[in-house]
Amino acid sequence: MNNFYLYAAGKNAVSLIQYFGTESIEAIIDSDSERWGTQYFGLPVISLNEARRNHPEYSILVTTYIYESICQIEKSLQSAQVTNYFLSPWIDRFYCNTADLIERLQLERYGKIEIAEGDNPFLAATVEELTKQRETENNRYECNENGCARLVLPNDMIREMARNGYNLSDSLKSQQNDGEINPLLEYLKRFVFMNNDLRKFRNIHKGKRCFLIGNGPSLRMSDLGCLKEHGEVCFGVNKIYFAFENTEWRPDYYIVVDREVAAHALQAMKDAKAVKFTTFYDALRGTDIESRYNMYLRLLQPADHPEFSFDLVEGMYNGYTVIYEAIQLAAYMGFSDIYLLGVDMTSGVRASDPNYHFYKGADPVSNVYVDSATGQARKLIGFAGQELEKRGQHLYNATRGGELEELPRVDFDSLFTE
């Protein structure tokens, strides 16, 4: 297959690099000029103009899976008169690599495989791997009468799925024609992860209160000490373990959404007795992370309306912050009063800024992803508060300062005065 570009250096790009390897990926295009000239997981980050100057014939695989971002990038590509681009599925809910795709869909049983959409890197890589397995150089793109299959991943379908949060509607299910194989549709219909063991957490803390601890700069070690002293049930997220050397407090529950952080947390959290949760990634099957964490399905927010899950088994919706998933987890456990602490949600500060988190020194786990969309996150947290109120549960902001005004504020110290 020909080399190609990725567009957007974010979480999905990391998964795509792991799916393809770096050999066929020429570079990563990104609209953020501050990232041009840097490296992202071993690949150079460049502008669209540079990519077009260097290799205008190369296909572009758009990595973002958020509908609004897809629309913005497509507009840029169309303005630059780029037509040879393809949209990537949300690869975390996909096959680990091309060999995995071929095995699960049993593509080896077909005599010929035809690519339906030009040089789509997903499809071209699959056919290349299948040909390699057969140890022959057949005319790969021609169809004959001996068991031919056409591989399809149309842009319009991926765009519609992203708009709907990758929920499969009946109209989407019916868009696969005879003789066509859509790896994305097949995955969503046949292989989507579900963990029924999570039912054991339903309403186990019904009527109690808890604290969700963010990693914002306002977090105080003395506040954590207070929580420990009063025996409060606490949730920690992502890199909260950087606080451990300064406090005896430890979370009862721990949730992490990024696989690289989860890998580091295996060691950092080994002495903490917290019950651990993380999102399911196909690439984590059979790993230590899978065996030591309670895994749940991560659901994407639809573009047209916000969603909040009260069923952990069905999955939890992303909300541009791990705190949104922690709120859904606490709601599922039945807590009646949920307090946020250290959830500053300050706009205009990049995640790479040392003042973005309470730990201001060197970070051994670099933040490799794009900056959080704090405005969108705040709106969704406000929506979560509204949904909880409908069920007689309450969400409060006990953070000292910050910009999260979408929830009623409470004074943290007042919660412990008799």
Side-chain angles (χ1 to χ4, degrees):
M1 60 180 290
N2 296 327
N3 280 19
F4 60 94
Y5 289 107
L6 299 181
Y7 196 133
K11 291 184 180 181
N12 209 31
V14 179
S15 299
L16 288 163
I17 292 167
Q18 293 175 341
Y19 183 89
F20 288 108
T22 58
E23 186 176 343
S24 298
I25 304 173
E26 184 72 18
I28 304 178
I29 302 167
D30 201 272
S31 58
D32 186 350
S33 60
E34 292 189 22
R35 308 183 79 173
W36 300 345
T38 65
Q39 293 278 313
Y40 191 76
F41 280 80
L43 291 169
V45 181
I46 64 175
S47 68
L48 176 59
N49 287 338
E50 182 176 349
R52 300 302 291 167
R53 284 197 307 270
N54 293 343
H55 296 287
E57 76 281 9
Y58 283 4
S59 295
I60 295 174
L61 187 60
V62 177
T63 71
T64 183
Y65 49 77
I66 304 299
Y67 177 74
E68 294 85 350
S69 299
I70 289 174
C71 293
Q72 292 173 0
I73 290 176
E74 284 197 290
K75 185 176 180 179
S76 297
L77 290 170
Q78 291 163 3
S79 295
Q81 298 183 322
V82 176
T83 58
N84 57 333
Y85 71 88
F86 303 90
L87 304 183
S88 166
W90 185 18
I91 195 69
D92 288 332
R93 291 174 62 177
F94 208 68
Y95 313 89
C96 298
N97 48 46
T98 52
D100 181 40
L101 187 155
I102 290 168
E103 178 181 357
R104 289 212 250 178
L105 297 185
Q106 299 180 313
L107 297 184
E108 69 280 353
R109 72 184 186 272
Y110 296 100
K112 297 285 184 180
I113 296 289
E114 181 185 41
I115 294 179
E117 301 133 31
D119 194 22
N120 186 322
F122 270 119
L123 309 184
T126 302
V127 171
E128 184 176 274
E129 175 64 23
L130 184 58
T131 302
K132 187 185 302 180
Q133 290 181 10
R134 291 172 173 172
E135 296 181 342
T136 181
E137 283 296 332
N138 294 327
N139 190 346
R140 294 171 291 178
Y141 304 137
E142 289 185 1
C143 186
N144 63 16
E145 297 178 356
N146 184 21
C148 175
R150 302 177 74 243
L151 290 177
V152 297
L153 273 174
N155 281 352
D156 58 349
M157 180 180 293
I158 295 176
R159 190 184 307 111
E160 182 66 11
M161 283 184 172
R163 189 178 73 83
N164 292 323
Y166 273 73
N167 296 316
L168 264 188
S169 65
D170 290 337
S171 61
L172 289 174
K173 290 178 184 177
S174 65
Q175 287 186 30
Q176 191 159 278
N177 300 319
D178 290 341
E180 286 186 347
I181 299 176
N182 185 317
L184 176 56
L185 281 181
E186 291 298 318
Y187 188 91
L188 293 173
K189 287 190 290 188
R190 297 163 53 188
F191 303 117
V192 167
F193 174 81
M194 181 171 287
N195 184 0
N196 288 305
D197 289 342
L198 297 173
R199 297 189 192 281
K200 64 187 178 186
F201 295 106
R202 185 176 183 85
N203 288 330
I204 61 172
H205 293 290
K206 189 173 180 62
K208 298 180 180 179
R209 77 176 185 180
C210 68
F211 290 80
L212 311 187
I213 314 301
N215 296 328
S218 69
L219 183 63
R220 298 179 183 177
M221 296 303 107
S222 59
D223 292 340
L224 297 179
C226 177
L227 293 169
K228 175 180 172 58
E229 178 185 349
H230 288 86
E232 300 289 348
V233 180
C234 297
F235 291 68
V237 300
N238 283 356
K239 301 177 189 177
I240 189 62
Y241 46 78
F242 285 166
F244 290 176
E245 63 181 19
N246 298 309
T247 177
E248 294 182 356
W249 169 90
R250 296 294 184 269
D252 300 281
Y253 298 101
Y254 172 74
I255 180 170
V256 57
V257 297
D258 299 328
R259 78 183 81 178
E260 284 74 23
V261 180
H264 185 266
L266 278 176
Q267 178 66 23
M269 295 288 294
K270 69 175 184 177
D271 295 326
K273 296 180 180 180
V275 180
K276 303 173 182 67
F277 296 84
T278 191
T279 56
F280 173 78
Y281 297 101
D282 247 315
L284 298 182
R285 285 183 293 161
T287 67
D288 283 348
I289 294 175
E290 182 181 35
S291 64
R292 299 186 191 186
Y293 285 78
N294 294 283
M295 287 194 167
Y296 62 89
L297 180 64
R298 197 179 201 195
L299 307 172
L300 284 180
Q301 288 285 350
D304 295 340
H305 60 277
E307 291 283 0
F308 184 91
S309 173
F310 285 95
D311 190 340
L312 180 60
V313 176
E314 289 187 0
M316 295 195 291
Y317 285 94
N318 77 313
Y320 302 96
T321 169
V322 62
I323 289 295
Y324 195 73
E325 286 161 71
I327 295 169
Q328 293 168 88
L329 180 56
Y332 186 77
M333 291 180 174
F335 288 101
S336 59
D337 295 289
I338 303 169
Y339 295 90
L340 305 187
L341 180 66
V343 184
D344 295 54
M345 289 289 155
T346 304
S347 56
V349 182
R350 298 178 69 88
S352 56
D353 191 300
N355 294 316
Y356 191 80
H357 300 102
F358 74 88
Y359 48 89
K360 297 180 173 62
D363 184 348
V365 185
S366 61
N367 193 322
V368 297
Y369 300 128
V370 294
D371 296 322
S372 299
T374 53
Q376 293 165 298
R378 289 198 298 265
K379 290 178 182 178
L380 284 170
I381 290 174
F383 171 75
Q386 296 170 13
E387 293 299 294
L388 286 166
E389 287 290 335
K390 295 175 184 177
R391 296 198 174 206
Q393 295 170 285
H394 312 287
L395 184 61
Y396 304 101
N397 182 15
T399 299
R400 300 181 186 276
E403 296 183 6
L404 180 59
E405 306 297 343
E406 284 76 7
L407 297 177
R409 281 189 179 268
V410 298
D411 178 71
F412 177 80
D413 299 312
S414 69
L415 298 172
F416 303 95
T417 56
E418 297 181 0

